[in-house]
Amino acid sequence: MMNGKTVIVTGANSGIGRATAAGIVRLKGRVIMACRDRSSAEEAAREIQQETGADSSLLSVRQLDLASLTSVHTFCQDIMKEEPRLDVLINNAGIYQCPYTKTEDGFEMQFGVNHLGHFLLTHLLLDLLKRSTPSRIVVVSSKLYKHGHIDFEDLNSEQSYNKAFAYSRSKLANLLFTLVLGHRLEGSGVTVNALTPGIVRTNLGRHVHIPLLAKPLFNLLSRSLFKSPEEGAATSVFLACSPDVDGVQGKCFADCQPQVLLDKATDLEVASKLWDISEVMVGITT
């Protein structure tokens, strides 16, 4: 049970994030739904309340746009000011295979939201997590990291852009971030672990074009082959609260089981270099 625990879930208004929020509320945890679209999040909060019978005090909606460093700073300032503790941070929000666009700060959108936004968010909330130990950070990655590559010469995809490759790179970045953060948090009482949820029926693929005639077949197949959002969220909820992962640091899970990652996701030299560059990109001075 999560009685008395406060959990932040980014992108909690739909898909895996919404199912994660509902799963934690069912365990009596309090969820701060950190979402770009506030009205959509408020509607999701009402639905979760009805579905779970939870008290309204267990759900709180906060505006957070991970495509804006200013928004991340504002969100974190408010959390640090208003919340006495933070037990779990779940970096769940993501954008998938969008056309080439840039964030408010000029970063390629998928790298900016999926990696850099969460990188800054975690950095700014770390002191509160350390004051709330034992506490946890959960990072949602994807098995598509396998197709990613960290090109330090073109992190912003200005020389070339492939939307599928850019997504995979951002998910590889999530794993490399988890690797370095795990080392840095050793002995702190804060743990960080990643997960790959598998193929889940969500609106994440809204930018993927499916021919009109193929849509009925695709919808039929997705219902039979893809996980439900609840099934996709199971590992996020497990990493947020299970005693089985007490003290486990810097690992990646799928279906609540630890995974063996490809070498590219465990390369500490690349991970450390990406960390240093990410700090510069988001304006962290250490």
Side-chain angles (χ1 to χ4, degrees), residues 64-75 103-105 107 112 116-118 120-121 124 278 280-283:
L64 170 66
D65 183 357
L66 289 158
S68 162
L69 299 183
T70 299
S71 176
V72 176
H73 276 282
T74 300
F75 172 85
T103 68
E104 182 182 289
D105 304 281
F107 308 129
L116 292 174
H118 282 121
L120 179 62
L121 178 75
L124 294 174
S278 298
V280 173
M281 291 177 87
V282 303

Side-chain angles (χ1 to χ4, degrees), residues 210-257:
I210 297 163
L212 195 61
L213 292 174
K215 275 191 175 174
L217 178 61
F218 175 80
N219 290 337
L220 186 67
L221 284 172
S222 73
R223 277 196 294 275
S224 59
L225 298 177
F226 294 2
K227 290 180 178 180
S228 68
E230 289 70 31
E231 290 168 330
T235 306
S236 293
V237 175
F238 169 79
L239 289 177
C241 67
S242 175
D244 293 349
V245 287
D246 278 347
V248 175
Q249 191 71 277
K251 303 296 183 190
C252 183
F253 289 74
D255 298 319
C256 303
Q257 297 297 319

Side-chain angles (χ1 to χ4, degrees), residues 18 25 33 66 94 113 135-136 184 217-218 240 257 265:
R18 183 192 181 285
V25 163
M33 302 170 69
L66 289 158
V113 169
S135 54
R136 301 180 181 187
R184 289 180 169 229
L217 178 61
F218 175 80
Q257 297 297 319

